[in-house]
């Protein structure tokens, strides 16, 4: 039977021998890999005198197989050459964008309760930037093409904050107060879509709906992009679900959530049909009602990148980790992918477009602040303690010590006491996670709500000697106390379901509701225990209400256009509250009268807002204890990184 050399005598013997070996019937007689075959084809000594047999003894049918085998090898070499010649993904480019001095990006916190908000949005193709500019309440959106030099105001967006571009790039949604609106990206008449009280994040679906987080995350729902009432998504676990970001299936969203035990800033995922909420952990997603919070991934503003990663913000910067959007499992470990991004109370100023472009405002974490005294004339005096991520705090009755929550660099919530006169600070040893510290009138003991870190994970109100963790007792179970009235052994506070209540600190007495509306909070006694002031958003915006502590009269609204965190002056002649970055005073009626005075603004400034109470009054009634944040309230400098998501993917792969 003819073989290769009968038709092409110039075929080298080693090539013939290599083909013959490659086509042996018994697999064990063939080459063990393609590389060995290729080496034999290139080696002129292969097969010479190696007992490969006579060419005449080979069958003609093997020729076709030999040609095919050679073709496979050549195809493999050609494919390898093609892969080598394929262009690599475009390298990331780092650009600087300079905004006009007349329209800088605003860092102001504009929502109810003054939370931080993202003031940036990108079009899906990453070519157009929309941002919030303005000050003193005169905010509006500006448009800036990344490749251009000019920024122009977007008509119809006066008062806007929290911008969001539609998936088709034709519309931009935003909030004005509590109203969700939209306009064409080129500007035009604004279209009102829905009322979203205490909005805490938006996400626009490709099916024509906008996912909204309302009432500080306690409500999640859909709004048609043409407008209409909110279609509420169930919340079977009763946890916060804030800053949503849709996953590719459209049925699930990444969120910032909490466990039912009160742990905040956990990265989670929610089923947008059933409302079931899971917290992400390194070992897989876990329902929030059976979660060990110590295992959860902690962070804010979670977002899924098309390159296959989950990115979220922490005090250290932007973190990324591999993520499966179907199983909701993370892969590998989280790594820091960007630092030095301006953040205001969790509102980190960055945006990522679908094409992988990143834009962000460089700067410091505005949650870092220092304790200061602020007087009515605006003068500020530091107490001399270093910057910290402070939480709610309380000044002792004699004004000498401060009990304050502090978030450690590891993210743990701790209770510290600062001695104003001596300039010293000390950590208070607690058995669980502390919250809402208040001083007992003797100035030696501090009262706080403590959440256990181990089963059964209950909440108790503890009274503890500052200098001794062993000298403590339990005052109440299942309450979050806000103020103490020791003369009557009563306190004010809220249960897990919310509302403002009078809480007896003795057994056998039932609590009394002040306002059972779930979003009523922060009730505080006047010094003479005649009045109770508190905050409620029953009217659609947080306002300050006052009621008779003896429950003998109807409540009064004493704020004019929004208010939160009421604090009484030590003499009881004034009631102070904050709204955004402005502080307001209201005259208290004298005995025999019941009408409060007209609110008067007394000062404003870049003071950090925190969960709970973020100001207190010195015993002299003339100085306010506050947390002063970074002075920058705007910037004209932004950084842009193109193809950033591919850089994140490669960083995670390494």
């Amino acid at each position: 039977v003819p073989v290769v050399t009968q038709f092409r005598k110039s075929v080298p013997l080693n090539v013939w021998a290599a083909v013959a070996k490659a086509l042996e019937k018994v697999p064990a007689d063939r080459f063990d890999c393609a590389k060995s075959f290729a080496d034999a084809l290139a080696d002129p000594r292969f097969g010479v005198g190696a007992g490969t047999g006579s060419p005449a003894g080979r069958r003609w049918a093997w020729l076709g197989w030999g040609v095919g085998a050679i073709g496979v090898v050549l195809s493999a070499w050609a494919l390898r050459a093609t892969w080598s010649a394929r262009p690599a993904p475009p390298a990331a480019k780092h650009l600087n964008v300079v905004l006009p001095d007349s329209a800088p990006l605003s860092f102001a916190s504009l929502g109810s309760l003054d939370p931080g908000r993202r003031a940036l949005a990108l079009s899906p193709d990453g070519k157009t930037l929309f941002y919030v500019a303005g000050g003193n309440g005169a905010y509006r959106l500006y448009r800036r093409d990344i490749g251009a030099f000019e920024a122009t105001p977007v008509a119809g967006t006066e008062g806007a904050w929290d911008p969001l571009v539609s998936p088709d790039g034709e519309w931009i949604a935003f909030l004005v107060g509590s109203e969700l609106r939209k306009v064409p990206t080129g500007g035009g008449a604004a279209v009102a879509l829905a009322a979203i009280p205490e909005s805490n994040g938006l996400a626009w679906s490709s099916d024509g709906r906008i996912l909204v987080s309302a009432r500080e995350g306690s409500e999640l729902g859909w709004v048609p992009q043409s407008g209409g009432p909110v279609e509420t998504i169930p919340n079977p676990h009763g946890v916060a679900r804030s800053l949503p970001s849709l996953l590719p299936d459209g049925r699930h969203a990444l969120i910032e959530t909490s466990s039912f035990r009160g742990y905040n800033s956990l990265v989670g995922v929610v089923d947008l049909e059933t409302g079931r909420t899971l917290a992400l952990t390194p070992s897989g997603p876990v329902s929030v009602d059976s979660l060990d919070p110590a295992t959860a991934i902690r962070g804010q503003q979670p977002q899924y990148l098309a390159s296959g990663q989950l990115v979220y913000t922490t005090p250290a910067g932007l973190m990324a980790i591999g993520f499966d959007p179907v199983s909701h499992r993370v892969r590998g470990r989280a790594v820091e992918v960007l630092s030095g991004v301006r953040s205001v109370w969790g509102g980190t100023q960055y945006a990522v477009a679908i094409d992988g472009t990143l834009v962000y405002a460089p700067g410091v974490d505005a949650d870092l602040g220092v304790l200061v005294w602020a007087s009515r004339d605006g003068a500020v005096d530091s107490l001399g303690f270093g910057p910290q991520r402070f939480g709610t705090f309380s000044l002792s009755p004699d004004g000498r010590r401060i009990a304050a929550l502090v978030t450690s660099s590891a993210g743990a919530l701790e209770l510290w006491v600062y001695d104003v006169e001596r300039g010293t600070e000390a950590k208070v040893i607690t058995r669980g996670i502390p919250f809402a510290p208040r001083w007992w009138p003797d100035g030696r003991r501090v009262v706080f709500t403590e959440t256990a870190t181990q089963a059964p994970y209950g909440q108790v109100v503890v009274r503890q000697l500052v200098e001794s963790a062993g000298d403590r007792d339990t005052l109440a179970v299942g309450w979050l106390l806000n103020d103490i009235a020791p003369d009557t052994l009563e306190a004010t506070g809220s249960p897990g379901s919310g509302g403002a209540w009078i809480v007896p600190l003795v057994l056998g007495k039932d609590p009394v509701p002040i306002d059972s509306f779930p979003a009523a909070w922060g009730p505080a006694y006047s010094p003479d225990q005649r009045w109770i002031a508190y905050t409620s958003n029953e009217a659609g915006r947080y306002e300050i209400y006052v009621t008779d502590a003896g429950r003998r009269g109807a409540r009064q609204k004493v704020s004019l256009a929004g208010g939160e965190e009421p604090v009484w002056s030590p003499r009881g002649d004034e009631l102070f509250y904050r709204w955004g970055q402005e502080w307001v005073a209201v005259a208290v009626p004298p005995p025999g009268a019941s009408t409060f005075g007209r609110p008067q603004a007394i000062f404003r400034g870049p003071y950090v807002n925190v969960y709970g109470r973020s100001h207190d009054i010195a015993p002299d009634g003339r100085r306010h204890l506050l947390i002063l944040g970074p002075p920058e309230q705007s910037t004209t400098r932004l950084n842009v990184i193109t193809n950033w998501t591919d850089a994140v993917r490669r960083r995670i792969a390494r």
Side-chain angles (χ1 to χ4, degrees):
V1 179
V3 292
V4 174
T5 53
Q6 289 181 296
F7 293 90
R8 190 71 178 269
K9 298 183 182 298
S10 60
V11 173
L13 287 177
N14 70 297
V15 173
W16 166 82
V19 171
K21 182 175 177 64
L23 298 175
E24 289 286 355
K25 291 184 178 181
V26 179
D29 294 335
R30 302 172 195 157
F31 291 103
D32 58 353
C33 64
K35 183 179 185 301
S36 299
F37 185 24
D39 291 343
L41 291 172
D43 184 0
R45 296 171 298 175
F46 181 80
V48 179
T52 56
S54 171
R58 298 293 176 182
R59 296 185 177 183
W60 169 257
W62 293 100
L63 174 62
W65 289 98
V67 173
I70 295 173
V72 170
V73 174
L74 295 177
S75 297
W77 287 343
L79 183 59
R80 182 178 180 183
T82 301
W83 284 342
S84 300
R86 286 180 63 185
K93 295 181 180 179
H94 294 248
L95 311 172
N96 295 119
V97 171
V98 180
L99 303 176
D101 292 337
S102 60
L105 173 76
S106 174
F107 290 139
S109 305
L110 306 173
S112 300
L113 294 187
D114 200 23
R117 306 290 184 182
R118 273 197 292 200
L120 295 169
L122 278 173
S123 60
D125 61 9
K127 295 181 179 179
T128 307
L129 165 70
F130 297 89
Y131 69 95
V132 177
N136 297 322
Y139 298 99
R140 69 187 309 174
L141 294 182
Y142 276 73
R143 172 178 178 149
R144 161 71 187 267
D145 292 337
I146 298 296
F149 293 103
E150 299 297 326
T152 57
V154 180
T157 63
E158 293 74 15
W161 55 278
D162 210 359
L164 174 68
V165 183
S166 62
D168 61 9
E170 297 295 323
W171 294 86
I172 183 163
F174 55 92
L175 285 135
V176 176
S178 297
E179 186 173 78
L180 178 64
R181 303 177 185 177
K182 71 173 184 178
V183 297
T185 51
V191 179
L193 302 180
I196 314 295
E198 292 81 55
S199 172
N200 209 355
L202 311 169
W204 204 319
S205 173
S206 58
D207 67 1
R209 296 181 298 170
I210 300 175
L211 182 64
V212 300
S213 175
R215 298 196 185 280
E216 300 177 67
S218 63
E219 293 182 9
L220 194 67
W222 290 105
V223 173
Q225 64 182 17
S226 58
V230 178
E231 179 186 345
T232 303
I233 296 168
N235 189 0
H237 308 295
V239 294
R241 300 171 298 182
S242 304
L243 304 171
S245 175
L246 290 165
L247 289 174
D249 65 1
R251 174 172 171 166
H252 296 85
L254 290 166
I255 52 168
E256 176 189 327
T257 186
S258 61
S259 76
F260 77 109
R261 304 193 245 310
Y263 293 77
N264 294 313
S265 300
L266 308 181
V267 178
V269 62
V270 59
D271 186 317
L272 299 175
E273 292 185 6
T274 66
R276 184 168 183 250
T277 303
L278 306 174
L280 302 187
T281 76
S283 58
V286 178
S287 178
V288 292
D289 56 9
S290 58
L291 173 73
D292 177 358
T295 66
I297 296 175
R298 299 182 66 87
Q300 298 175 303
Q301 288 182 225
Q303 183 173 350
Y304 177 70
L305 305 180
S307 50
Q309 294 77 42
L310 161 67
V311 64
Y312 56 93
T313 65
T314 70
L318 267 64
M319 308 294 291
I321 191 170
F323 181 71
D324 185 336
V326 177
S327 67
H328 307 142
R329 299 181 72 92
V330 297
R331 300 187 298 264
R333 65 181 182 86
V335 298
E336 182 182 314
V337 291
L338 189 67
S339 61
V341 185
R342 174 72 179 201
S343 177
V344 181
W345 203 46
T348 305
Q349 301 300 329
Y350 83 101
V352 183
I354 295 175
D355 79 329
T357 299
L358 165 76
V359 60
Y360 71 95
V364 298
D365 182 355
D367 292 341
L368 278 171
V370 294
L371 293 166
V372 298
W373 294 115
S375 59
R376 294 195 182 207
D377 60 5
V380 177
D381 184 20
S382 173
L383 275 69
F385 300 107
Q388 295 282 1
R389 291 182 177 87
F390 287 104
T392 185
F393 56 88
S394 175
L395 189 64
S396 63
D398 60 9
R400 295 179 179 179
R401 294 198 289 182
I402 302 165
L405 294 181
V406 174
T407 301
S408 71
S409 58
L413 205 57
E414 301 173 343
L415 177 59
W416 285 71
V417 169
Y418 296 83
D419 192 307
V420 176
E421 292 188 345
R422 299 171 57 197
T424 60
E425 54 194 81
K427 179 182 175 181
V428 177
I429 303 302
T430 63
R431 299 178 185 175
I433 299 174
F435 191 72
R438 298 289 183 265
W439 287 93
W440 195 253
D442 61 11
R444 299 177 60 246
R445 291 176 288 179
V446 65
V447 178
F448 55 93
T449 299
E450 184 179 71
T451 302
T453 56
Q454 297 179 346
Y457 299 109
Q459 279 190 335
V460 295
V461 178
V462 174
R463 177 175 57 184
Q464 180 175 314
L465 190 68
V466 170
E467 292 79 10
S468 174
D471 189 346
R472 55 182 268 158
D473 57 342
T474 299
L475 300 182
V477 177
W479 290 88
L480 177 65
L481 293 194
N482 189 76
D483 199 13
I484 309 295
D487 294 344
T488 59
L489 285 179
E490 290 179 340
T492 58
S494 303
S497 58
W501 293 69
I502 296 175
V503 186
L505 301 181
V506 294
L507 296 176
K509 295 186 67 176
D510 294 329
V512 178
I514 302 169
D515 189 328
S516 59
F517 189 71
W521 61 279
Y525 282 105
S526 62
D528 61 5
Q529 298 180 36
R530 176 187 175 191
W531 305 101
I532 296 175
Y534 64 97
T535 307
S536 176
N537 68 347
E538 185 176 356
R541 176 176 60 188
Y542 278 108
E543 302 281 2
I544 303 297
Y545 295 89
V546 175
T547 187
D548 190 304
R551 315 298 294 139
R552 292 185 296 271
R555 68 177 184 178
Q556 305 177 50
K557 185 172 79 71
V558 299
S559 56
L560 283 182
E564 53 172 325
E565 300 181 22
V567 176
W568 299 90
S569 68
R571 292 185 299 180
D573 57 342
E574 287 184 297
L575 175 65
F576 301 101
Y577 65 87
R578 70 175 292 165
W579 183 238
Q581 293 184 316
E582 186 171 70
W583 271 256
V584 181
V586 178
V588 176
S594 60
T595 302
F596 282 73
R598 183 179 179 83
Q600 302 290 329
I602 52 176
F603 65 87
R604 60 181 299 116
Y607 300 106
V608 178
N609 200 346
V610 300
Y611 289 104
R613 198 169 72 185
S614 54
H615 66 126
D616 210 342
I617 314 297
D620 60 13
R622 295 183 296 179
R623 296 175 299 164
H624 294 249
L625 180 64
L626 300 164
I627 306 167
L628 180 65
E632 298 83 3
Q633 295 297 294
S634 62
T635 185
T636 59
R637 302 281 177 172
L638 300 178
N639 291 339
V640 176
I641 305 177
T642 63
N643 204 33
W644 179 71
T645 54
D646 186 68
V648 171
R649 179 188 59 78
R650 288 186 277 109
R651 177 76 177 275
I652 294 293
R654 290 198 300 270

Short mmCIF file of all heavy atoms in Angstrom, two decimals, residues 570-598:
data_model
loop_
_atom_site.label_atom_id
_atom_site.label_comp_id
_atom_site.label_asym_id
_atom_site.label_seq_id
_atom_site.Cartn_x
_atom_site.Cartn_y
_atom_site.Cartn_z
N PRO A 570 -29.53 73.60 79.73
CA PRO A 570 -29.48 73.16 81.13
C PRO A 570 -30.49 73.88 82.02
O PRO A 570 -31.00 73.30 82.98
CB PRO A 570 -28.04 73.47 81.55
CG PRO A 570 -27.27 73.40 80.28
CD PRO A 570 -28.19 73.96 79.23
N ARG A 571 -30.79 75.14 81.72
CA ARG A 571 -31.76 75.88 82.53
C ARG A 571 -33.19 75.62 82.09
O ARG A 571 -34.13 76.06 82.77
CB ARG A 571 -31.46 77.38 82.45
CG ARG A 571 -30.16 77.78 83.12
CD ARG A 571 -29.97 79.28 83.11
NE ARG A 571 -29.92 79.81 81.75
CZ ARG A 571 -29.77 81.11 81.45
NH1 ARG A 571 -29.69 82.00 82.43
NH2 ARG A 571 -29.72 81.51 80.20
N GLY A 572 -33.37 74.97 80.96
CA GLY A 572 -34.71 74.65 80.49
C GLY A 572 -35.43 75.80 79.83
O GLY A 572 -36.64 75.70 79.57
N ASP A 573 -34.72 76.91 79.53
CA ASP A 573 -35.39 78.05 78.93
C ASP A 573 -35.35 78.03 77.40
O ASP A 573 -36.01 78.85 76.75
CB ASP A 573 -34.77 79.36 79.44
CG ASP A 573 -33.28 79.43 79.16
OD1 ASP A 573 -32.66 78.38 78.89
OD2 ASP A 573 -32.71 80.54 79.22
N GLU A 574 -34.56 77.10 76.82
CA GLU A 574 -34.47 77.00 75.37
C GLU A 574 -34.42 75.53 74.95
O GLU A 574 -33.97 74.66 75.70
CB GLU A 574 -33.22 77.71 74.84
CG GLU A 574 -33.28 79.23 74.87
CD GLU A 574 -32.05 79.85 74.24
OE1 GLU A 574 -30.95 79.62 74.78
OE2 GLU A 574 -32.18 80.55 73.22
N LEU A 575 -34.90 75.31 73.75
CA LEU A 575 -34.80 74.00 73.13
C LEU A 575 -34.00 74.17 71.84
O LEU A 575 -34.33 75.03 71.01
CB LEU A 575 -36.19 73.44 72.82
CG LEU A 575 -36.24 72.12 72.05
CD1 LEU A 575 -35.65 70.99 72.89
CD2 LEU A 575 -37.68 71.79 71.64
N PHE A 576 -32.93 73.38 71.68
CA PHE A 576 -32.09 73.46 70.49
C PHE A 576 -32.31 72.23 69.61
O PHE A 576 -32.57 71.13 70.11
CB PHE A 576 -30.61 73.54 70.88
CG PHE A 576 -30.26 74.70 71.76
CD1 PHE A 576 -30.11 74.54 73.13
CD2 PHE A 576 -30.10 75.97 71.22
CE1 PHE A 576 -29.79 75.61 73.94
CE2 PHE A 576 -29.79 77.05 72.03
CZ PHE A 576 -29.63 76.87 73.39
N TYR A 577 -32.20 72.43 68.32
CA TYR A 577 -32.21 71.30 67.40
C TYR A 577 -31.38 71.66 66.18
O TYR A 577 -30.99 72.81 65.98
CB TYR A 577 -33.64 70.90 67.01
CG TYR A 577 -34.42 71.93 66.21
CD1 TYR A 577 -34.33 72.00 64.82
CD2 TYR A 577 -35.29 72.82 66.84
CE1 TYR A 577 -35.07 72.91 64.08
CE2 TYR A 577 -36.03 73.75 66.13
CZ TYR A 577 -35.91 73.79 64.74
OH TYR A 577 -36.65 74.71 64.02
N ARG A 578 -31.06 70.64 65.38
CA ARG A 578 -30.29 70.86 64.17
C ARG A 578 -31.12 70.46 62.96
O ARG A 578 -32.02 69.62 63.04
CB ARG A 578 -28.98 70.05 64.19
CG ARG A 578 -29.14 68.56 64.06
CD ARG A 578 -27.78 67.85 63.96
NE ARG A 578 -27.08 68.16 62.73
CZ ARG A 578 -25.79 67.91 62.52
NH1 ARG A 578 -25.06 67.37 63.49
NH2 ARG A 578 -25.22 68.21 61.38
N TRP A 579 -30.82 71.10 61.86
CA TRP A 579 -31.40 70.70 60.58
C TRP A 579 -30.31 70.85 59.52
O TRP A 579 -29.90 71.97 59.20
CB TRP A 579 -32.61 71.54 60.22
CG TRP A 579 -33.28 71.09 58.94
CD1 TRP A 579 -33.50 71.82 57.82
CD2 TRP A 579 -33.83 69.80 58.68
NE1 TRP A 579 -34.14 71.07 56.87
CE2 TRP A 579 -34.36 69.81 57.38
CE3 TRP A 579 -33.92 68.61 59.41
CZ2 TRP A 579 -34.97 68.68 56.79
CZ3 TRP A 579 -34.52 67.49 58.83
CH2 TRP A 579 -35.05 67.56 57.54
N GLY A 580 -29.81 69.71 59.06
CA GLY A 580 -28.66 69.77 58.17
C GLY A 580 -27.45 70.28 58.93
O GLY A 580 -27.07 69.73 59.97
N GLN A 581 -26.88 71.36 58.47
CA GLN A 581 -25.71 71.94 59.12
C GLN A 581 -26.04 73.28 59.77
O GLN A 581 -25.17 74.13 59.94
CB GLN A 581 -24.57 72.08 58.11
CG GLN A 581 -24.06 70.72 57.64
CD GLN A 581 -22.89 70.83 56.72
OE1 GLN A 581 -22.86 71.65 55.81
NE2 GLN A 581 -21.88 69.99 56.93
N GLU A 582 -27.29 73.42 60.16
CA GLU A 582 -27.74 74.64 60.83
C GLU A 582 -28.33 74.28 62.19
O GLU A 582 -29.05 73.28 62.32
CB GLU A 582 -28.78 75.36 59.98
CG GLU A 582 -29.20 76.71 60.53
CD GLU A 582 -30.05 77.48 59.53
OE1 GLU A 582 -31.20 77.05 59.32
OE2 GLU A 582 -29.57 78.48 58.96
N TRP A 583 -28.02 75.12 63.21
CA TRP A 583 -28.55 74.92 64.57
C TRP A 583 -29.57 76.01 64.88
O TRP A 583 -29.38 77.19 64.53
CB TRP A 583 -27.41 74.93 65.59
CG TRP A 583 -26.86 73.56 65.76
CD1 TRP A 583 -27.08 72.71 66.81
CD2 TRP A 583 -26.03 72.84 64.84
NE1 TRP A 583 -26.44 71.52 66.60
CE2 TRP A 583 -25.79 71.56 65.40
CE3 TRP A 583 -25.48 73.15 63.59
CZ2 TRP A 583 -25.03 70.61 64.75
CZ3 TRP A 583 -24.72 72.19 62.95
CH2 TRP A 583 -24.49 70.93 63.53
N VAL A 584 -30.63 75.59 65.54
CA VAL A 584 -31.80 76.45 65.75
C VAL A 584 -32.16 76.45 67.23
O VAL A 584 -32.06 75.41 67.91
CB VAL A 584 -32.99 75.96 64.91
CG1 VAL A 584 -34.20 76.88 65.10
CG2 VAL A 584 -32.61 75.90 63.42
N ALA A 585 -32.60 77.60 67.74
CA ALA A 585 -33.03 77.73 69.14
C ALA A 585 -34.50 78.13 69.18
O ALA A 585 -34.96 78.94 68.36
CB ALA A 585 -32.19 78.77 69.87
N VAL A 586 -35.24 77.56 70.13
CA VAL A 586 -36.66 77.87 70.34
C VAL A 586 -36.85 78.24 71.80
O VAL A 586 -36.43 77.49 72.70
CB VAL A 586 -37.55 76.67 69.97
CG1 VAL A 586 -39.02 77.01 70.23
CG2 VAL A 586 -37.35 76.26 68.52
N ALA A 587 -37.48 79.37 72.07
CA ALA A 587 -37.74 79.80 73.44
C ALA A 587 -38.83 78.92 74.06
O ALA A 587 -39.86 78.62 73.44
CB ALA A 587 -38.17 81.26 73.48
N VAL A 588 -38.60 78.48 75.32
CA VAL A 588 -39.55 77.62 76.04
C VAL A 588 -40.51 78.50 76.84
O VAL A 588 -40.08 79.48 77.48
CB VAL A 588 -38.78 76.67 76.98
CG1 VAL A 588 -39.75 75.83 77.82
CG2 VAL A 588 -37.87 75.75 76.15
N PRO A 589 -41.79 78.20 76.84
CA PRO A 589 -42.74 79.04 77.58
C PRO A 589 -42.51 78.96 79.08
O PRO A 589 -42.13 77.91 79.61
CB PRO A 589 -44.11 78.45 77.19
CG PRO A 589 -43.81 77.05 76.78
CD PRO A 589 -42.46 77.09 76.14
N PRO A 590 -42.74 80.04 79.79
CA PRO A 590 -42.58 80.04 81.25
C PRO A 590 -43.72 79.26 81.91
O PRO A 590 -44.71 78.90 81.25
CB PRO A 590 -42.64 81.53 81.61
CG PRO A 590 -43.46 82.14 80.51
CD PRO A 590 -43.15 81.36 79.27
N PRO A 591 -43.61 78.98 83.20
CA PRO A 591 -44.70 78.29 83.90
C PRO A 591 -46.03 79.01 83.70
O PRO A 591 -46.11 80.24 83.76
CB PRO A 591 -44.26 78.32 85.36
CG PRO A 591 -42.76 78.40 85.29
CD PRO A 591 -42.46 79.25 84.09
N GLY A 592 -47.06 78.27 83.46
CA GLY A 592 -48.38 78.83 83.24
C GLY A 592 -48.69 79.08 81.78
O GLY A 592 -49.85 79.30 81.42
N ALA A 593 -47.67 79.08 80.92
CA ALA A 593 -47.88 79.27 79.49
C ALA A 593 -47.53 77.97 78.77
O ALA A 593 -46.90 77.07 79.32
CB ALA A 593 -47.03 80.41 78.97
N SER A 594 -47.95 77.86 77.50
CA SER A 594 -47.72 76.61 76.77
C SER A 594 -47.29 76.82 75.32
O SER A 594 -47.10 75.85 74.60
CB SER A 594 -49.00 75.76 76.79
OG SER A 594 -50.07 76.46 76.18
N THR A 595 -47.12 78.06 74.90
CA THR A 595 -46.77 78.32 73.50
C THR A 595 -45.27 78.55 73.37
O THR A 595 -44.71 79.46 74.00
CB THR A 595 -47.52 79.55 72.97
OG1 THR A 595 -48.93 79.33 73.11
CG2 THR A 595 -47.18 79.78 71.51
N PHE A 596 -44.61 77.74 72.54
CA PHE A 596 -43.18 77.88 72.31
C PHE A 596 -42.91 79.02 71.33
O PHE A 596 -43.78 79.38 70.52
CB PHE A 596 -42.61 76.57 71.76
CG PHE A 596 -42.41 75.52 72.82
CD1 PHE A 596 -43.50 74.85 73.38
CD2 PHE A 596 -41.14 75.20 73.26
CE1 PHE A 596 -43.32 73.88 74.36
CE2 PHE A 596 -40.95 74.23 74.24
CZ PHE A 596 -42.03 73.58 74.79
N GLY A 597 -41.69 79.56 71.42
CA GLY A 597 -41.34 80.69 70.58
C GLY A 597 -41.07 80.28 69.14
O GLY A 597 -41.08 79.09 68.77
N ARG A 598 -40.80 81.29 68.33
CA ARG A 598 -40.50 81.06 66.92
C ARG A 598 -39.04 80.62 66.79
O ARG A 598 -38.15 81.22 67.39
CB ARG A 598 -40.74 82.32 66.10
CG ARG A 598 -40.52 82.14 64.60
CD ARG A 598 -40.81 83.44 63.86
NE ARG A 598 -40.59 83.28 62.43
CZ ARG A 598 -41.47 82.78 61.58
NH1 ARG A 598 -42.65 82.37 62.03
NH2 ARG A 598 -41.19 82.66 60.29
#
